[in-house]
Amino acid sequence: MELATENDSDAVGVATFQVEQVSTGAQASGFGSTEDNRPFAFRVYKRTLYLEIYRADLPSPVPDRSDVTAVAEQSVTEIDLTDERSIVAAVRDAVGSADSLGTDAKESSAVRSFLGRVGSVMASI
């Protein structure tokens, strides 16, 4: 189900920013595609929106860390996380300000991911 698009057009092949799935609340999450048809996923954790943009030619429907081409983090303290429109607007802003990853950044991103998971486990204890 398509929840939000930036450009509504009847023209075939016109790429638009779209959020295909969004869940609201303190731990909002979802996924969609950028204007250049690259898939992305986002989640909110501890008042921060984390966004990962993946390469356009994914070999499988479930991307892994090596498929991440850009990332963004931004605070959501001023955003109504119960409103889908507010979340979609924040995600659109995050997509626009995402930082591309180089080869070195992808390796450190794996370390960051591991440390994030360890932090999540410790937070749940």
Side-chain angles (χ1 to χ4, degrees):
M1 176 169 85
E2 185 179 304
L3 294 178
T5 61
E6 187 173 281
N7 300 319
D8 289 332
S9 175
D10 293 334
V12 176
V14 174
T16 61
F17 171 86
Q18 58 185 335
V19 175
E20 298 168 18
Q21 174 67 40
V22 65
S23 65
T24 59
Q27 296 181 340
S29 63
F31 58 89
S33 60
T34 63
E35 289 181 354
D36 56 355
N37 287 326
R38 292 186 298 159
F40 66 82
F42 68 92
R43 66 185 172 92
V44 173
Y45 180 71
K46 291 189 176 181
R47 295 184 227 144
T48 302
L49 172 75
Y50 297 94
L51 172 85
E52 292 181 339
I53 300 175
Y54 306 104
R55 60 190 180 128
D57 58 342
L58 288 175
S60 71
V62 180
D64 65 12
R65 300 298 303 166
S66 65
D67 295 322
V68 177
T69 61
V71 296
E73 295 180 12
Q74 74 179 39
S75 173
V76 293
T77 55
E78 301 293 322
I79 296 172
D80 180 5
L81 294 175
T82 62
D83 180 29
E84 288 181 8
R85 294 175 300 161
S86 297
I87 295 169
V88 169
V91 169
R92 184 180 297 122
D93 292 345
V95 166
S97 66
D99 296 322
S100 293
L101 297 179
T103 311
D104 295 336
K106 286 184 182 180
E107 292 173 9
S108 69
S109 181
V111 172
R112 178 193 279 178
S113 175
F114 173 75
L115 292 175
R117 289 181 184 152
V118 169
S120 295
V121 169
M122 293 177 73
S124 67
I125 297 177

